[in-house]
Amino acid sequence: MGDILVCVSKTFYIETFGCQMNAHDSEKVIGTLEQQGYARVQDEDAAGLILYNTCSIRDKAEQKVFHRLNEYKKLQGEGKKFAVLGCVAQQEGQKIFEKAPYVSMVAGSASYRNLPEMLRRLEAGEERITGLDDRQTELTFETEFTARSNPHRGYITIIEGCDKFCAYCVVPYTRGKERSRTAASVLVEARKMVDLGFTEIQFLGQNVNSYRDPSGRMSFAELLVAVGELPGIRRVRFTTSHPRDFTRDIVQAIDDTPTLCDHIHLPVQSGSTAVLQAMAREYTREWYLERMNWIKAAKRDISITSDMIVGFPGETDADFEETITLVGEVKYDAVFAFKFSPRPNTPAVTMADSIPDEVKTERLRILMDRQREIQRKHYGRHLGEVQEVMVESYNPSRNQVVGRSTQNKTVNFSTAQIVQARPPIGSYLPVRITQTLPNCLVGEAIEDAEALPVASVQRASDFVVLN
């Protein structure tokens, strides 16, 4: 047995595909591996264990994963072990072993809490280890061992899974039922992060505003405020919300709590009630617009962004036009739009996908052209404003600093008017907006005694994120 145990080198390489939730899951996986005595390396050739944390939202996600696995098949002969984690792992299950027999471990996100035990089995020589939990699990992945990749902006998953079962979406099948952490555990983690120097916290969840405190102590809005009031916190964000659970007290919380960022991402998916019904979204165009009116009535200027799908089965030209008119009515600050593609195990798989791809492509082009036109005009409202910007990186070729506003907008700015030519990553500066472009703001940093930069350490990104 001793000979078997030493054959697994306790070094690992992890590659993350997909969304912020996957990236944060990887932070927790990395922390768990390091706690188990594994050392992280930045190159798969140097790793004894290679892990892929996968996403199945986009079209051909499974093919991308198997293609990547096949690229590294040659490394099997060097004694390396392979693990597939995340949504594709949960979706494909045992089939991964059939398609890629050199994979030793397959684990969905709901089973990450069992990673220490699965790793021990891997080290003991087991060749096919699975962690594929039933979607009815009530358990969440909470760990104090989180290797956070950004020393200033940190993520907290407050709710896992999804119970909405939208017709096009695979998430309920890959991440299980909705299950929330207690408000107390979230506040403990947030306080620890503040003590470590984090100034921005972002709540994560497939439907983050569907949060239900198991102890009944706090609503989602109350939890936002509680974290926003922690001494040392400058910004609190949350993503992604669902219209069905979007309540007016969320807008009130943003209005009343300056540290809550003035940005709401509320996916609509379609402007047509008929298409929304076919999608099983369980709200109407009018319901959604009512929530838009709540946001627009706020005292603060709250940025609104959304997700949209074009070419859903049965979407007529008239349905699509309703999406275009909705975009014109809401005037989003950004829209993330995609062509419909059927995902495995979802109800939409059985629907006749009768809309030709060229029609989907043309509708996507029309939608994004219209949105760019709106953004070009809508961003103009910021001209001349002074905004607080968090420094994220530098663009030496343009002699600019790159940062982000509280509205989650990219701000490229120069520093000619201040002493520090290169303010530290993670610092906050007042920036006067001098130019507006369709996808970003341009400005000039100004001196302000009340906006002193915080101490910070620059750190390279820990993830390769593939979409």
Side-chain angles (χ1 to χ4, degrees):
M1 181 63 72
D3 291 338
I4 296 175
L5 287 172
V6 297
C7 78
V8 180
S9 168
K10 297 197 77 164
T11 55
F12 73 95
Y13 168 84
I14 187 168
E15 191 163 341
T16 304
F17 299 68
C19 65
Q20 285 177 320
M21 284 208 66
N22 262 22
H24 183 47
D25 281 347
S26 285
E27 289 182 330
K28 293 190 282 187
V29 167
I30 291 165
T32 301
L33 283 159
E34 291 176 341
Q35 194 268 336
Q36 293 294 310
Y38 283 75
R40 188 180 181 195
V41 295
Q42 298 299 322
D43 186 276
E44 59 272 7
D45 288 327
L49 174 62
I50 298 173
L51 306 101
Y52 298 103
N53 186 7
T54 62
C55 174
S56 61
I57 295 294
R58 299 290 178 83
D59 188 26
K60 298 182 174 60
E62 304 82 16
Q63 292 94 314
K64 290 178 183 178
V65 171
F66 287 115
H67 177 72
R68 182 56 58 92
L69 283 170
N70 195 53
E71 286 180 357
Y72 296 120
K73 182 179 179 179
K74 62 182 183 296
L75 299 176
Q76 181 190 18
E78 301 175 14
K80 299 181 187 299
K81 299 291 183 179
F82 296 85
V84 179
L85 311 178
C87 293
V88 172
Q90 185 69 38
Q91 175 184 296
E92 298 294 307
Q94 298 277 353
K95 288 189 288 186
I96 291 176
F97 294 129
E98 298 168 14
K99 295 181 181 178
Y102 43 91
V103 170
S104 298
M105 187 166 73
V106 174
S109 61
S111 66
Y112 289 164
R113 65 187 182 282
N114 299 322
L115 267 176
E117 187 248 337
M118 287 190 280
L119 289 168
R120 283 191 288 272
R121 290 166 59 191
L122 185 69
E123 293 166 15
E126 279 194 50
E127 294 184 353
R128 293 195 169 186
I129 302 161
T130 56
L132 302 169
D133 273 9
D134 185 275
R135 80 168 309 275
Q136 296 303 320
T137 182
E138 299 283 353
L139 301 173
T140 57
F141 181 30
E142 297 181 43
T143 175
E144 60 183 300
F145 307 110
T146 300
R148 301 189 185 276
S149 60
N150 185 313
H152 314 291
R153 177 184 296 119
Y155 301 97
I156 300 179
T157 299
I158 66 169
I159 178 172
E160 298 178 23
C162 179
D163 290 342
K164 298 299 186 283
F165 289 97
C166 300
Y168 54 82
C169 186
V170 72
V171 168
Y173 308 95
T174 58
R175 284 187 172 264
K177 66 184 289 187
E178 287 179 359
R179 52 208 188 275
S180 300
R181 296 173 55 182
T182 64
S185 73
V186 173
L187 285 168
V188 166
E189 184 171 356
R191 289 190 189 101
K192 286 181 179 178
M193 291 170 67
V194 172
D195 290 342
L196 290 169
F198 288 88
T199 59
E200 180 178 312
I201 287 176
Q202 183 164 341
F203 286 170
L204 297 179
Q206 269 75 36
N207 298 306
V208 69
N209 63 318
S210 303
Y211 174 82
R212 299 290 182 270
D213 183 0
S215 69
R217 179 183 167 192
M218 287 185 179
S219 68
F220 173 67
E222 289 169 337
L223 183 58
L224 281 173
V225 172
V227 173
E229 290 179 343
L230 291 175
I233 282 291
R234 297 284 290 263
R235 293 181 177 179
V236 179
R237 301 185 187 276
F238 58 94
T239 194
T240 293
S241 297
H242 194 290
R244 280 166 54 188
D245 292 322
F246 191 83
T247 49
R248 206 162 192 163
D249 59 348
I250 298 171
V251 180
Q252 191 63 53
I254 294 173
D255 251 351
D256 294 343
T257 315
T259 52
L260 300 190
C261 287
D262 42 358
H263 168 233
I264 293 172
H265 185 71
L266 197 62
V268 65
Q269 306 303 359
S270 174
S272 163
T273 294
V275 173
L276 291 172
Q277 184 177 12
M279 289 177 167
R281 292 290 283 176
E282 296 190 11
Y283 58 83
T284 64
R285 175 190 178 102
E286 290 70 31
W287 170 282
Y288 184 87
L289 285 173
E290 180 183 35
R291 278 133 192 85
M292 293 295 99
N293 289 335
W294 294 347
I295 297 169
K296 290 174 180 292
K299 296 189 292 288
R300 297 175 71 181
D301 175 16
I302 300 176
S303 172
I304 307 170
T305 57
S306 192
D307 297 338
M308 295 182 183
I309 297 171
V310 300
F312 189 79
E315 181 189 66
T316 65
D317 288 341
D319 291 325
F320 175 65
E321 183 59 29
E322 288 195 72
T323 295
I324 297 298
T325 59
L326 181 82
V327 167
E329 188 169 345
V330 175
K331 292 183 172 56
Y332 293 103
D333 284 280
V335 165
F336 304 91
F338 311 92
K339 294 187 293 185
F340 168 76
S341 61
R343 309 307 302 129
N345 306 317
T346 63
V349 167
T350 64
M351 299 178 182
D353 187 10
S354 58
I355 301 174
D357 186 67
E358 57 268 25
V359 174
K360 295 178 185 177
T361 300
E362 178 63 8
R363 287 179 181 175
L364 183 62
R365 183 195 65 77
I366 292 169
L367 173 59
M368 296 316 295
D369 283 351
R370 176 67 175 128
Q371 176 58 29
R372 272 190 291 273
E373 177 187 339
I374 290 169
Q375 277 181 222
R376 189 176 291 108
K377 294 177 181 177
H378 202 43
Y379 271 38
R381 72 191 191 276
H382 298 304
L383 196 63
E385 289 181 351
V386 175
Q387 297 193 358
E388 181 187 76
V389 177
M390 181 185 186
V391 177
E392 294 187 339
S393 62
Y394 310 112
N395 186 340
S397 64
R398 294 188 177 183
N399 198 26
Q400 286 180 325
V401 180
V402 182
R404 194 164 299 275
S405 72
T406 59
Q407 290 196 341
N408 205 36
K409 293 184 173 76
T410 298
V411 182
N412 301 311
F413 63 95
S414 58
T415 56
Q417 304 300 317
I418 64 174
V419 174
Q420 286 181 296
R422 273 204 167 192
I425 303 294
S427 62
Y428 294 83
L429 292 174
V431 174
R432 179 172 286 110
I433 305 304
T434 58
Q435 184 182 4
T436 63
L437 302 174
N439 294 307
C440 71
L441 304 174
V442 180
E444 181 76 45
I446 59 176
E447 292 288 0
D448 188 331
E450 295 181 357
L452 297 175
V454 296
S456 61
V457 179
Q458 189 172 0
R459 184 182 298 178
S461 171
D462 283 325
F463 294 104
V464 176
V465 181
L466 302 180
N467 289 313

